[in-house]
Amino acid sequence: RRFCCGGSSTMPASQSRSRARDRNNVLNRAEFLSLNQPLKGTPEPKGSGRRPGGQAGGAPAPSEGAKERRQSQQLPEEDCMQLNPSFKGIAFNSLLAIDISLSKRLGVCASNASAWGNARSMISLIGMTGHGIPWIGGTLICLVKSSTLAGQEVLMNLLLALFLDILIVAGLQKLAKRKGPYDVGPGLLDYVTMDIYAFPAGHASRAAMVSKFFLNHLVLAVPLRILLVLWAFLVGLSRIMVGRHHVTDVLSGFIFGYLQFRLVELIWMSSNTCQMLISMW
């Protein structure tokens, strides 16, 4: 009799413990009840019931595995290329990451709070020496004051090179639409020359073109020639330091500047053509 009474007293305790476990089960909450229900429209698999061995469910049928393999083999080519990128894609993305990281490290004057923020005005002034507006204005003043045919011929072709540089760089930037490494907007004079985007660097292309033009058409001493090349390099570096361009933008600007110089050499205007244009003006 005592044994029966003890057994009956343990039954409510076990039931209360089972109810407590059900309450503590996360899947029994209202927001997770949908996880315990089978999907609509999909029949329950035959092997999902409990087997005599105590294992629930089972391995998928061989026909289902073959079907999944056939579907994976029929992936679109675009998805396969994304999952297995080519060597060129990996190399391009790696170089792009290096370019962005190096440009951000060199952008020490991108803002007043940067490492060299106090020197931002001076660095910006160096970059300003490669702007198109001062060069076009200076060339026009020298052209008005020039009294020799040879000088007027050189100045007219330099003016042609400057206009070509502005148009070519603006067109390439419009096509690429690449932004700089920092959120540094273009200035007022940049909008005038349509130098809005980062690739290619307009100041760098102009500095390379002008320096090559002077080295080829002016008789300069060796120290002046070295200073001219150093000036072009500093103009490109200043544009990276103020956060306006990437390293590759400046390097491509140097390349395009040299190509523009070669183009002007091919379409070089003779002295007679220059005099005719000056008389029309």
Side-chain angles (χ1 to χ4, degrees), residues 29-47:
R29 297 181 183 178
E31 58 267 24
F32 296 110
L33 287 177
S34 61
L35 298 177
N36 296 327
Q37 299 176 0
L39 296 175
K40 295 181 180 181
T42 57
E44 191 176 282
K46 296 181 180 179

Side-chain angles (χ1 to χ4, degrees), residues 3 10 12 17 29 62 70 87 115 140 145 151 154 158 169 181 193 202 216 221 241 250 260 269 275:
F3 176 77
T10 58
R17 285 196 297 270
R29 297 181 183 178
R70 286 196 300 270
F87 175 76
L140 289 174
K145 294 186 175 182
V154 172
L158 177 60
V169 170
T193 57
N216 198 55
M241 294 177 67
V250 173
Q260 290 165 10
M269 294 186 296
Q275 292 302 316

